[in-house]
Amino acid sequence: MEIVEGTELDEKLLDYVKRDLAPHLFTIHDLLHERENTRIWVVEEGGEVKGYLLNWKPLDSWIIEVYDVEHAEALLRHAAPEKGSMIMDPRLLGVVEKNLELVETHNWILMKVRRGEERLVDFSGVIKLSQGHADKLYDLYRLWPAGGKSRAHVENWVRRLPVFGLFKGDRLVSASGILARSSYGGVIGGVFTHPKYRRRGYASKAVSAATSYILRESGLSALYLSSDNSAAFGLYRKLGYGVHSRRMFVKFQRMKG
């Protein structure tokens, strides 16, 4: 077993992630477009990649993707994450709990849709937001306790990646953004509708706009949602998304021992 640290999507790692792209779309994006903010530790055995641990430094976001628990523990011990959040396969919860002091755990669902499988609704009233809309987007997200974002984060997001919104008058009432994008696929997130404007189909329109953008660019769109969010699950299913797998999102504050 060998652990190699780097910042690039090399040929061996690409071969590994291409076997099943959906769980790796954040990783691909970060290694292609955020190399200065990204570190990755890759575990190899017999000349083949067996998994990795990735860190996106601005938000201390981590992703661990590996099948073998022994490899997962080796990666955690080698990289020694100090704090942050992590996306992982639920099978790895035991080894993660063994090595990290967890403060929150959430069950997520990873969903995906490929070009030709989508069932999008008319989104002609949805626009791609500009930097001039950042204040409107920030005001909308302030109403979403679980997804509250700082003004700086919102401004940076709109500058870096596409975010789509639906207005009623001067008020932004629904939004859906893209969190990661590449020629291999994209990830949708930040889906939120103003509480006074729900049950009118606005979220379906915003998500359809974001999905259409990704599928034109790559052919694969994915998203994560809480496993107890039945309303969002139903919305995404109607638009053509299917369940890929279960995932966990955890927050931690230190390594153990």
Side-chain angles (χ1 to χ4, degrees):
M1 183 194 310
E2 180 184 9
I3 295 178
V4 180
E5 182 179 351
T7 59
E8 297 184 6
L9 184 65
D10 62 24
E11 185 175 345
K12 286 195 290 187
L13 181 57
L14 183 59
D15 286 343
Y16 174 79
V17 302
K18 284 173 68 175
R19 297 173 192 170
D20 183 13
L21 285 168
H24 307 291
L25 295 176
F26 277 127
T27 297
I28 294 171
H29 171 89
D30 290 346
L31 292 176
L32 291 178
H33 304 299
E34 293 280 332
R35 285 173 57 182
E36 70 280 6
N37 292 318
T38 302
R39 299 172 70 189
I40 188 168
W41 295 262
V42 178
V43 60
E44 298 182 8
E45 200 165 67
E48 292 186 2
V49 171
K50 299 296 184 179
Y52 63 82
L53 177 65
L54 176 135
N55 173 230
W56 189 65
K57 291 177 283 187
L59 291 180
D60 276 320
S61 301
W62 298 78
I63 299 172
I64 187 165
E65 286 290 342
V66 59
Y67 184 77
D68 191 293
V69 171
E70 179 184 354
H71 291 155
E73 181 149 28
L75 285 166
L76 290 169
R77 287 294 177 183
H78 186 89
E82 294 182 359
K83 62 183 177 68
S85 62
M86 184 177 293
I87 300 174
M88 64 182 184
D89 189 306
R91 295 180 303 101
L92 302 178
L93 179 60
V95 70
V96 169
E97 283 184 315
K98 176 183 175 182
N99 287 277
L100 302 178
E101 188 71 43
L102 303 187
V103 294
E104 288 184 34
T105 61
H106 302 275
N107 293 308
W108 278 6
I109 299 171
L110 172 58
M111 303 185 75
K112 69 179 180 70
V113 63
R114 294 190 178 278
R115 185 188 299 138
E117 300 172 345
E118 73 275 19
R119 300 188 296 271
L120 308 183
V121 302
D122 175 32
F123 55 89
S124 54
V126 179
I127 66 169
K128 182 180 176 184
L129 302 184
S130 68
Q131 291 186 45
H133 296 117
D135 284 345
K136 300 284 188 181
L137 185 60
Y138 173 70
D139 288 341
L140 177 64
Y141 283 144
R142 285 170 59 188
L143 303 174
W144 184 17
K149 305 177 189 301
S150 69
R151 186 182 298 274
H153 177 81
V154 170
E155 291 174 349
N156 187 49
W157 186 18
V158 175
R159 183 172 63 252
R160 292 171 48 249
L161 290 162
V163 182
F164 299 88
L166 181 66
F167 282 83
K168 288 298 175 183
D170 292 333
R171 173 176 283 178
L172 178 64
V173 299
S174 189
S176 175
I178 295 175
L179 304 176
R181 59 185 287 206
S182 71
S183 60
Y184 298 96
V187 181
I188 288 175
V191 179
F192 184 70
T193 299
H194 191 292
K196 293 183 179 180
Y197 291 84
R198 291 175 181 168
R199 301 184 184 278
R200 305 185 191 184
Y202 295 158
S204 294
K205 292 176 179 290
V207 173
S208 290
T211 301
S212 176
Y213 186 97
I214 290 173
L215 294 182
R216 289 198 310 270
E217 186 175 68
S218 67
L220 174 65
S221 179
L223 52 84
Y224 296 81
L225 72 155
S226 174
S227 61
D228 61 2
N229 193 340
S230 58
F233 183 79
L235 183 156
Y236 301 138
R237 287 294 296 266
K238 288 180 181 179
L239 298 180
Y241 284 85
V243 174
H244 173 276
S245 58
R246 301 283 174 171
R247 284 292 185 270
M248 291 197 76
F249 174 81
V250 303
K251 292 185 178 181
F252 62 95
Q253 57 188 12
R254 65 177 66 90
M255 286 283 292
K256 289 182 177 178

